Amino acid sequence: MARMHTRRRGSSGSDNPATDENPEWSDVDAEDIESRVVELAEQGHDPSVIGIKLRDEGVKGVPIPDVKLATGKKLTEILEDHDADADVPEDIRSLMARAIRLREHMADNGQDHQNKRALQNTEAKIRRLADYYRGDELDEEFRYTYENAVELLEE
């Protein structure tokens, strides 16, 4: 992942295995996987957590290494089909949660210049993502403010 606000090089990450078919040892029915995905979403888990749970715990004891290969649909597409997707996309939601934590920290520690910059960078990322999602995933009139973020995350 490349660092956005520094001059340093990006750090390398892992890639998904280069395969286009589900492994034979993971032969769970697509409907069972979809129902488990919806069940986990209703428990309040984000899509990334659902993917990790399917990988580690599986469905009926059988791990699901890749939801898209097993069902033909992305995890977020499954959630949209069953109206179980969140109001706000996961990436902007987690950035808003970080900004709220940083702002609360800054209220107590005004002299912490490092975290003041981290807050500025985080809020800049949120504004860029909001521009990307506005009109599609977010309301056309959405503007990021601390108060809006607190209100959205309380829901």
Side-chain angles (χ1 to χ4, degrees):
M1 180 172 92
R3 301 281 176 216
M4 191 175 295
H5 297 290
T6 62
R7 291 184 192 89
R8 294 187 211 117
R9 295 168 191 238
S11 57
S12 63
S14 63
D15 292 327
N16 285 336
T19 181
D20 52 358
E21 55 189 41
N22 203 32
E24 64 271 357
W25 51 263
S26 180
D27 58 348
V28 180
D29 194 36
E31 287 87 32
D32 292 339
I33 295 172
E34 288 192 24
S35 63
R36 180 70 176 143
V37 165
V38 172
E39 177 187 324
L40 288 169
E42 288 170 354
Q43 292 173 9
H45 296 294
D46 288 328
S48 60
V49 175
I50 294 173
I52 292 170
K53 284 186 171 291
L54 290 177
R55 183 198 67 197
D56 295 343
E57 299 168 8
V59 178
K60 298 180 181 175
V62 180
I64 310 298
D66 191 329
V67 172
K68 187 172 182 184
L69 289 179
T71 62
K73 292 191 243 180
K74 288 182 172 182
L75 205 145
T76 51
E77 290 173 349
I78 293 171
L79 293 175
E80 286 172 13
D81 290 348
H82 294 278
D83 292 325
D85 53 337
D87 304 344
V88 179
E90 179 183 8
D91 52 0
I92 198 167
R93 176 181 288 275
S94 63
L95 283 171
M96 284 182 186
R98 181 191 302 173
I100 290 170
R101 284 192 311 270
L102 282 168
R103 188 151 308 218
E104 289 169 356
H105 171 79
M106 291 306 300
D108 297 334
N109 304 281
Q111 75 286 0
D112 190 346
H113 299 293
Q114 207 169 14
N115 278 316
K116 183 176 182 181
R117 176 162 168 74
L119 175 62
Q120 291 168 345
N121 289 342
T122 302
E123 289 182 337
K125 285 181 191 176
I126 292 170
R127 283 189 288 273
R128 274 197 302 276
L129 263 180
D131 287 343
Y132 175 76
Y133 285 126
R134 193 173 291 119
D136 184 27
E137 307 276 335
L138 293 175
D139 190 37
E140 194 68 50
E141 279 81 47
F142 177 83
R143 293 284 177 266
Y144 169 76
T145 62
Y146 172 72
E147 292 77 22
N148 281 353
V150 170
E151 190 176 302
L152 267 173
L153 293 183
E154 282 178 353
E155 294 176 359

